[in-house]
Amino acid sequence: MRQQEEMPHLISCSLLLLVLLAPTNCSASARAAAGVSSISSAAAAAAAAANTTSSSKNKPQAAALIVFGDSIVDPGNNNGINTIVKADFPPYGDDFLNHRPTGRFCNGRIPTDFIASRLGLKDLLPPYLSPQPLDKPDLITGVSFASGGTGFDPLTPKLASVISLPDQLAMFREYLGKVRAAAGDAKAAEILSRGVFAICAGSDDVANTYFTMRARSNYDHASYARLLVQHASSFVEDLIHAGARRVAFIGIPPIGCVPSQRTMSGGLERGCSQGHNEVAVAYNAGMVRELAALRKKYPGTLLVFMDIYGFLYDMMMHPRSYGFTQATKGCCGTGLLEVSVLCNGVTSAVCDDVGDYLFWDSYHPTEKAYKILADFVYDNYVKLII
């Protein structure tokens, strides 16, 4: 039974912004050199042990899984950088191996862990900035460069002091050098040609940079969506130039319906924020068009747009159809605002049955919800590029 304590837990929206988005110094060189994490060595060792045997004994469906993006797919890259946007402390990881926090913004595994497993590669996709050096099998089967709090808008990673998408791409080029040194040029070439490259970002641009911080107040919904499309499509093209040939691009979900955005922008009844979702829909439509143009421009590259908006919206509106009873609050604390450092083992109790909850904190789904989403993504989209 999980600990459940009744306690006063009043957190203002201004405190949430101050804590999560206060700028700190985090240079690109410091990010690349980061090797210290508050994750315990025991947790890191446990994660490494889990990866020694893939959940699938069949031949892997891809050479590797390479991931870029934000907290949805960050397995712990933020642990060792100078940012407040972290999840390497309890109750995060409450249902992970040995109940240890790893830096995943979840109670357990995240979507890329499930995708790596279904591809037959390994059970857990590690962070590139792992606190322990990755061994050769783990290195050559893929890593995540994702950083919680980042986005396509260049302002977003600056506001949160996290790793930008261009810096993640620079880390990927460094990674390829390590692969060549460990396994040769042929293996690096195989990863580029047969690896699955996944990109998942944009939600923090909409929720944090645009609506919460009002950092782009001179843009209306449509023009901000176009700005994001411009930067996102440029990143995809840069990734193609770096050698990627099988690219999966994940669209923005109905971000206006996550608990924190309901609380801050959904009125007294905490409904979905229409504005957030309008930007998401416009952005997704723009990326569909951009990816179609890129397919014509690069006929040797497989590009797929993974539309998760409708599926997640249905989960949020009809949670019982997916095995949940609560979809408007997170399991951590009050479930209204707690995320990252505000979801902690000191001030935040957790719900009795996390299996009833679609969301772990006020922004990120639970492991159970991620598993459902990952299966949807794999069955409908990943299979198109393997």
Side-chain angles (χ1 to χ4, degrees), residues 95-96 106-110 114 354 357-358 360 365-372:
D95 297 293
F96 197 76
C106 187
N107 61 306
R109 290 164 291 176
I110 57 178
F114 294 114
V354 67
Y357 282 70
L358 179 59
W360 167 244
T366 57
E367 178 185 69
K368 176 181 174 181
Y370 274 149
K371 175 64 167 61
I372 295 171

Side-chain angles (χ1 to χ4, degrees), residues 338-367:
E338 293 87 344
V339 63
S340 189
V341 295
L342 298 183
C343 171
N344 61 76
V346 177
T347 65
S348 304
V350 295
C351 60
D352 284 328
D353 190 351
V354 67
D356 289 337
Y357 282 70
L358 179 59
F359 289 94
W360 167 244
D361 58 23
S362 69
Y363 199 81
H364 304 96
T366 57
E367 178 185 69

